[in-house]
Amino acid sequence: MALLEVTGLNVAYASQGAERIWAVRDVDLSFEQGEFVGVVGESGCGKSTLGYALARLLRPPARTESGSIVFDGVDISTLDHEALRQHRRNGFALVLQSGMNALNPVRDVHHHFADVLRAHAAPHERWNRASIRERAAELLEGVGLDAGVIGRFPHELSGGMRQRVSIAIALSLEPKLVIFDEPTTALDVIVQRSVMSTIKNLQKGRGFTAILITHDLGDVLDSADRALVMYAGRIVEDSPTVELTRGEHHPYTEALLRCFADPRADEVMLADIPGAPPDLSLAIPGCSFAPRCSVAVPSCSTTRPVLAPLGGGRVSCQVRTGLVEGGSRG
Ligand SMILES: Nc1ncnc2c1ncn2[C@@H]1O[C@H](COP(=O)(O)OP(=O)(O)O)[C@@H](O)[C@H]1O
Ligand SMILES: [Mg+2]
């Protein structure tokens, strides 16, 4: 049985007086215990919304409109607040954001551990100052920090240290699934690499399932076993990372790979693909990428593609997967 099984997930933002924005569309996914999965795509394609939906951490105006999320055999999409809290103790997802906002500026590191450990304590568990200290020391050392950090406040720590503290706090409940949302985006390049390698080592050593949300294909290629490529709220490709650098892929994945290979990648991000992502308040009957795609045929705009095998992975492209005759290859 998969650790996490998502079926028919749709998430929309409903602001008053505006059309609903469908940020996650018809997502079916499953995650195995111990997998490291990268979710990659341009800013605004729905990665964070998907991550928060999986962890049941969406806040209004975002709402899960339909779909089931089965974690460890339990459908968490229907659990109430108290049942969710108890389920979190059993290792259910946590989301780590990058940056300062994950930590409370007026509380020292000890208090952050205390809050999490006490909020999810089992009925027989008693966390006192000494036992929290002991647990925190082990976790802080596990993320490459000195245990003495426990007495510090967030502003006394560098960005990289703060992110390591956040990771240690998230791991204090021994989660089976951790979702990292752009965990290194706010850090400078050298620190980014070192935090990513800490995440990878922790994941290997502790065996939790990691979902890494990032706009940086390089992080996915370096760290993930499997890559999910998102475009306009949909998963357009689900492939082993090792397959990404060879063979044919979804035309959008191919565009991302071309940009990544370009040394000016940060500035020219997807500049070589004409057009823009679709308006997410509209229904999209066919493939969301069709208007920008160089291999699209007329039926791409009318028939919704589904993930189908290609190479070692799956892509939702009826041209690439041979379901229709291809257009001009470009
Ligand atoms: N608070 C919000 N209110 C309305 N729409 C939102 C809000 N946050 C995000 N969205 C919409 O959801 C889409 C996906 O956002 P997000 O999940 O943050 O994308 P990503 O993490 O890939 O950058 C955005 O393109 C935007 O249209
Ligand atoms: Mg995001």
Side-chain angles (χ1 to χ4, degrees), residues 44 46-49 181-182 213:
K47 304 180 297 295
S48 297
T49 308
D181 189 7
E182 309 271 4
I213 292 170

Side-chain angles (χ1 to χ4, degrees), residues 3 43-44 79 329:
L3 177 68
S43 174
L79 295 183
R329 292 266 159 127

Side-chain angles (χ1 to χ4, degrees), residues 17 30 48 66 69 71 89 119 129 137 163 169 172 179 192-193 219 228 239 241 245 264 273 280 293 305 307:
S30 87
S48 297
S66 61
I69 301 169
F71 179 82
R89 199 176 61 227
R129 203 170 170 85
Q163 193 58 346
I169 293 166
S172 61
I179 301 172
Q192 280 183 356
R193 288 210 196 97
D219 280 345
L228 301 173
S239 289
T241 313
T245 45
R264 297 165 299 142
I273 317 177
L280 291 177
C293 180
L307 287 170

Side-chain angles (χ1 to χ4, degrees), residues 264-286:
R264 297 165 299 142
D266 268 358
E267 297 137 58
V268 297
M269 186 70 181
L270 300 187
D272 68 329
I273 317 177
D279 179 346
L280 291 177
S281 65
L282 302 176
I284 302 167

Side-chain angles (χ1 to χ4, degrees), residues 174-238:
E174 295 177 31
K176 292 179 186 153
L177 173 64
V178 186
I179 301 172
F180 297 92
D181 189 7
E182 309 271 4
T184 64
T185 300
L187 307 174
D188 64 49
V189 179
I190 306 283
V191 183
Q192 280 183 356
R193 288 210 196 97
S194 122
V195 171
M196 271 314 301
S197 103
T198 299
I199 289 174
K200 182 71 195 168
N201 290 337
L202 287 165
Q203 187 270 338
K204 272 205 190 122
R206 295 180 176 244
F208 55 82
T209 302
I211 300 179
L212 171 68
I213 292 170
T214 176
H215 65 280
D216 188 341
L217 187 58
D219 280 345
V220 173
L221 291 171
D222 285 344
S223 302
D225 309 315
R226 176 179 157 208
L228 301 173
V229 182
M230 251 184 122
Y231 184 78
R234 291 184 182 146
I235 305 292
V236 298
E237 175 148 1
D238 178 353

Side-chain angles (χ1 to χ4, degrees), residues 71-262:
F71 179 82
D72 234 2
V74 176
D75 186 349
I76 59 164
S77 59
T78 53
L79 295 183
D80 64 22
H81 185 76
E82 177 53 25
L84 262 181
R85 192 185 68 85
Q86 292 187 15
H87 210 55
R88 279 192 206 286
R89 199 176 61 227
N90 301 328
F92 152 64
L94 291 149
V95 173
L96 282 179
Q97 302 166 295
S98 61
M100 185 78 182
N101 48 5
L103 299 177
N104 184 338
V106 299
R107 290 173 88 72
D108 67 10
V109 172
H110 175 93
H111 274 96
H112 284 85
F113 279 103
D115 287 346
V116 173
L117 290 169
R118 287 185 178 139
H120 298 88
H124 64 274
E125 271 179 332
R126 291 284 174 273
W127 289 103
N128 59 31
R129 203 170 170 85
S131 59
I132 291 166
R133 240 193 137 73
E134 191 181 333
R135 180 65 160 277
E138 179 244 324
L139 289 157
L140 289 168
E141 280 161 12
V143 298
L145 292 174
D146 186 285
V149 161
I150 191 145
R152 306 265 205 99
F153 283 83
H155 68 86
E156 297 176 305
L157 305 172
S158 70
M161 289 168 86
R162 280 200 295 271
Q163 193 58 346
R164 286 172 196 277
V165 167
S166 304
I167 294 168
I169 293 166
L171 297 182
S172 61
L173 297 173
E174 295 177 31
K176 292 179 186 153
L177 173 64
V178 186
I179 301 172
F180 297 92
D181 189 7
E182 309 271 4
T184 64
T185 300
L187 307 174
D188 64 49
V189 179
I190 306 283
V191 183
Q192 280 183 356
R193 288 210 196 97
S194 122
V195 171
M196 271 314 301
S197 103
T198 299
I199 289 174
K200 182 71 195 168
N201 290 337
L202 287 165
Q203 187 270 338
K204 272 205 190 122
R206 295 180 176 244
F208 55 82
T209 302
I211 300 179
L212 171 68
I213 292 170
T214 176
H215 65 280
D216 188 341
L217 187 58
D219 280 345
V220 173
L221 291 171
D222 285 344
S223 302
D225 309 315
R226 176 179 157 208
L228 301 173
V229 182
M230 251 184 122
Y231 184 78
R234 291 184 182 146
I235 305 292
V236 298
E237 175 148 1
D238 178 353
S239 289
T241 313
V242 289
E243 301 287 344
L244 283 185
T245 45
R246 58 183 181 232
E248 286 195 314
H249 294 279
H250 191 284
Y252 178 65
T253 310
E254 291 172 1
L256 283 180
L257 285 160
R258 273 198 303 279
C259 292
F260 178 67
D262 190 316

